[in-house]
């Protein structure tokens, strides 16, 4: 019904584009006028636009002219003139929306138009890419255009100094990756001096491959973590124990369903501990592993504990659960690889190695124990944020990708971003064949190899998509046996990615790839002349710096650079002649053929793979080969398809090609997408609680960094604490009913013993509850002012600032850990018919209140304990940041590690309280 209405009335995108067309016409109408301008006249427009903005015009008022200027400058500098559809895409991005543009439609160039326009405001524009390579490439490539127009361009990359980052963020346009952006935000909220901040306000971001960053990585919290305790020997012991256990694998949609029923039945049977019974159950669909009663009994005997499920054995149970999960659900060469005696996580969406990332909550250590590599120490979370909440902080956000429409509901609900499908510059003539389904994997693989062999014989280039390293290497072995020359592109050979992708469109090329296959780069039919020219130039033994200068727009007198530039132009021209012949040959053979060996869980990933072919009106074809034994089919559609094939009496080696089967598969994919969307929504519901708390804490820190006078804040803390004390211990109006003993004990904990407002001379009978509070407040306010006089005004302000920062950071870190622990067990509340998210909100609020009370009390304790003889360390002297990272199996996380230099438990506390460390900050 929906598709019928779209045909009659037009799609949402078509209606929105219709509103944009008059602006596009106006931009193109200025083409001749702009073409007559000299370079200097064109460059001067930047200053004219900035002046008009200062005089009160907004960006929409100058959009048409600014786009026309940028379009003409692009023609002159980059030798590329944006098409009409690219102008439409640029306007959509400026409006703060998502532009869906097919592969090869020039999204990188599209972004220059809104980037130039928005950079004129002087508030900064962030162009966010998925990896360092693309950020560097685009900043250098498009930077030529921005520099020509008088705008500064910065690049944020891993390992830069504070000054380099500050310069990059203060540029008009900053190219960066999502990870570095998020980490810089978290680090900025851990600094103790304003001059150490690197980021400025988050004004406008254009996110390239927006679906990858805002959807695929939505459950990827960024984490800055500090060194925790030494790695426990329990990881090795639990792994050794798990090796000997017997598992049972099930497929169940409801995580609480079948597993629980199996356990309940087992508990009722007399032979639940029989040899043939499993020790643990693995649910592949929900990726969970749980011990059975037999497994629990085995563990209790093995580790010599009375009750594995008792509170004191929580840690042991956690290690065992991680060990069985590592052994049953985490697969080598699928989820991770072992490289240089380290466990390197593989991104399930791109197939890339995620260096420095670690699974959280001990899972990474469990995998290290399983693979017999060094088990690294555990980490403590110091700061964390999800990409969802980070990117929602931008005043304006937009994105571009080849595939976003399937996730439109999520973009609207989570980010308030609608998706506009931009028409292609030339019609897509790629032929997408129906799926072919075999009964078994071996039959499918034989058919795939036969198809590839036929393509290689007729010299048609083929790109074969696989879902894991393991599957790519398995197919590579079969092609070698058949004598088919090919390239393999996966996380193990990522260094050659650019070279392999550049040649993937040449006649007869066969390329096996995981999902990383050239995302962000085009597979050009016939080959890539520019890449081949640069490769040849590198063989001429030119200095790397010379090549960088030769590839830049800057004028130079350097003869070596000029020679390199001249040779590059010559080589590119030579290669283009040969490539043009190869391109025509490949077009005659049908263009690039995409052969996929499995369907992905997400239709979007399948569409990305298809989109590698048929760019800019080129011919092409795509086909998915499937088997009933594939993971997706096995988990979500096996019964239905198996029954259908059995009913039709289909032999193993005979394929079925039917629309009904394709529809069944797409239904299964929609179900998985819906499940994953609900999981991401749950993540953000939980993180929204932390986000509100994080914003309050970071706002307080920023006020301190901005040099705001903290004296009134301390006096308000004093007010708040004494109000709580009088409420707790003096609830009655009669002083005879007050619990003064408890009150005195609390005051002694909070203030040094020399401050005692409750002496034997204090006449309590003359006070009621309110006047007693006033007496206490006046007493301690006077002592506070005496402290200020003793230390001096300037020193007192600096001490207030440093102590508050330290207390906020110390308690916030502990609070993050406490909230993590709360969240890990809150799901069990559902058994008692309670909403876990609501319970998390209520308890989280109470815990946050407790934390803020502790911050107030500890800050006042330290301020009253300070004397002229006390050495006050600056907070940064306690922290040494080293970059590393970690994450969970579904929420891969990144993090710098922080090592704290702690005093011994019986040493005097460095805060100056006069107490032992164990009774003060170390309590």
């Amino acid at each position: 019904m929906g598709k019928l209405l779209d045909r009659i009335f037009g799609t949402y995108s078509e209606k929105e584009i219709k509103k944009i067309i008059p602006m596009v016409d106006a931009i193109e109408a200025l083409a001749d006028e702009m073409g007559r301008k000299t370079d200097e006249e064109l460059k001067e427009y930047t200053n004219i636009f900035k002046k008009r903005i200062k005089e009160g015009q907004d960006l929409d008022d100058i959009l048409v002219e600014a786009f026309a200027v940028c379009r003409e400058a692009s023609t002159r500098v980059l030798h590329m003139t944006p098409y009409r559809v690219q102008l439409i895409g640029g306007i959509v991005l400026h409006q703060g929306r998502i532009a869906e543009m097919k592969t090869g439609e020039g999204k990188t160039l599209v972004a220059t138009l809104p980037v130039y326009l928005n950079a004129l405001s002087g508030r900064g524009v962030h162009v966010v890419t998925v990896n360092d390579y693309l950020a560097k490439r685009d900043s250098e490539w498009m930077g030529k255009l921005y520099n020509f127009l008088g705008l500064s361009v910065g690049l944020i990359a891993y390992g830069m100094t504070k000054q380099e980052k500050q310069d990059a963020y203060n540029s008009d346009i900053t190219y960066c990756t999502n990870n570095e952006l998020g980490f810089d935000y978290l680090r900025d909220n851990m600094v103790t001096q304003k001059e150490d901040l690197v980021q400025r306000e988050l004004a406008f971001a254009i996110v390239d491959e927006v679906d990858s960053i805002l959807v695929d990585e939505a459950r990827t919290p960024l984490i800055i973590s500090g060194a925790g305790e030494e790695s426990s020997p329990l990881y090795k012991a639990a792994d050794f124990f798990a090796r000997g256990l017997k598992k049972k694998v099930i497929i169940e949609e409801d995580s609480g369903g079948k597993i629980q029923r199996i356990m309940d039945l087992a508990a009722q049977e007399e032979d639940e501990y029989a040899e043939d019974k499993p020790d643990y159950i693995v649910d592949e669909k929900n990726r969970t592993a749980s011990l059975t009663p037999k497994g629990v009994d085995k563990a209790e005997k093995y580790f010599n504990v009375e009750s594995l499920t008792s509170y004191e054995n929580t840690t042991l149970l956690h290690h065992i659960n991680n060990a069985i999960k590592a052994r049953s659900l985490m697969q080598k060469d699928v989820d991770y690889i072992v490289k240089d005696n380290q466990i390197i996580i593989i991104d399930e969406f791109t197939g890339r190695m995620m260096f420095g990332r670690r699974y959280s909550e001990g899972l990474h250590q469990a995998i290290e124990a399983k693979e017999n590599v060094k088990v690294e120490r555990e980490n403590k979370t110091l700061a964390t944020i999800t990409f969802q909440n980070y990117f929602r902080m931008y005043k304006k956000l937009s994105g571009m990708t080849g595939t976003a429409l399937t996730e439109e509901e999520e973009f609207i609900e989570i980010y308030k971003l609608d998706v506009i499908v931009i028409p292609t510059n030339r019609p897509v003539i790629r032929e997408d064949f129906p799926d072919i389904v075999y009964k078994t994997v071996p039959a499918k693989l034989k058919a795939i190899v036969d198809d590839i062999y036929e393509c290689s014989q007729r010299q048609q280039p083929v790109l074969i998509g696989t879902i894991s390293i393991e599957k790519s290497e398995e197919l590579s072995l079969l092609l070698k046996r058949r004598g088919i020359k090919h390239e393999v592109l996966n996380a193990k050979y990522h260094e050659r990615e650019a070279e392999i992708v550049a040649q993937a469109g040449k006649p007869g090329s066969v390329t096996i790839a995981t999902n990383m296959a050239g995302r962000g780069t085009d597979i050009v039919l016939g080959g890539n002349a520019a890449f081949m020219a640069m490769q040849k130039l590198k063989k001429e033994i030119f200095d790397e710096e010379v090549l960088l200068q030769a590839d830049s727009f800057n004028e130079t007198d350097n003869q070596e650079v000029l020679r390199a530039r001249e040779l590059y132009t010559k080589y590119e021209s030579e290669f283009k002649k040969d490539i043009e012949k190869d391109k025509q040959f490949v077009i005659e053979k049908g263009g690039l053929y995409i052969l996929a060996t499995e369907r992905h869980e997400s239709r979007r990933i399948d569409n990305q793979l298809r989109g590698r072919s048929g760019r800019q009106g080129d011919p092409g074809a795509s086909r998915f080969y499937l088997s009933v034994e594939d993971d997706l089919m096995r988990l979500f559609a096996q019964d239905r398809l198996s029954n259908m094939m059995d009913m039709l009496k289909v032999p193993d080696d005979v394929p079925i090609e039917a629309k009904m089967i394709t529809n069944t598969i797409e239904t299964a994919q929609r179900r998985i997408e819906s499940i994953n969307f609900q999981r991401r929504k749950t993540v953000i519901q939980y993180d929204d609680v932390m986000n509100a708390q994080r914003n309050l804490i970071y706002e307080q820190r920023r006020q301190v960094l901005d040099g705001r006078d903290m004296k009134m804040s301390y006096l308000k803390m004093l007010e708040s604490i004494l109000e709580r004390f009088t409420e707790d211990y003096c609830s009655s109006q009669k002083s005879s009913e007050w619990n003064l003993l408890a009150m005195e004990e609390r005051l002694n904990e909070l203030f040094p013993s020399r401050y005692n407002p409750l002496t034997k001379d204090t006449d309590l009978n003359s006070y009621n509850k309110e006047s007693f509070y006033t007496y206490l407040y006046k007493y301690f306010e006077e002592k506070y002012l005496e402290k200020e006089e003793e230390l001096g005004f300037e020193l007192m302000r600096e001490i207030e600032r440093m102590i508050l920062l330290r207390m906020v950071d110390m308690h916030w870190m502990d609070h993050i850990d406490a909230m993590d622990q709360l969240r890990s067990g809150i799901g069990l509340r559902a058994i008692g018919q309670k909403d876990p998210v609501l319970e998390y909100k209520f308890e989280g609020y109470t815990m946050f209140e407790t934390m803020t009370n502790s911050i107030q009390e500890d800050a006042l304790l330290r301020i009253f304990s300070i004397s002229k003889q006390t050495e006050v360390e600056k907070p940064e002297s306690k922290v040494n940041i080293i970059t590393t990272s970690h994450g969970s199996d579904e929420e891969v996380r990144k993090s710098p590690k922080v090592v704290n230099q702690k005093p011994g438990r019986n040493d005097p506390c460095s805060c100056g309280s006069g107490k032992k460390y164990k009774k003060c900050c170390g309590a």
Side-chain angles (χ1 to χ4, degrees), residues 277-291:
K277 295 295 176 187
D279 298 309
Y280 65 100
I281 308 289
V282 178
D283 179 356
E284 285 193 324
K285 193 177 288 186
N286 288 289
R287 293 183 67 79
T288 59
S290 309
L291 289 171

Side-chain angles (χ1 to χ4, degrees), residues 7 92 96 154 383 387 579 695 717 744 761 790 836 865 885 901:
R7 279 201 290 269
V92 166
F387 284 123
I579 282 173
N695 289 342
M717 289 183 210
E744 197 164 3
D761 298 327
E790 176 195 345
S865 301
S885 45
Q901 303 297 323

Side-chain angles (χ1 to χ4, degrees), residues 739-758:
N739 188 352
L740 291 174
L741 195 63
M743 162 75 90
E744 197 164 3
E745 197 174 307
R746 289 293 281 124
L747 288 173
N748 286 337
E749 286 174 6
L750 186 57
F751 303 101
S753 56
R754 63 181 178 276
Y755 300 115
N756 184 8
L758 301 176

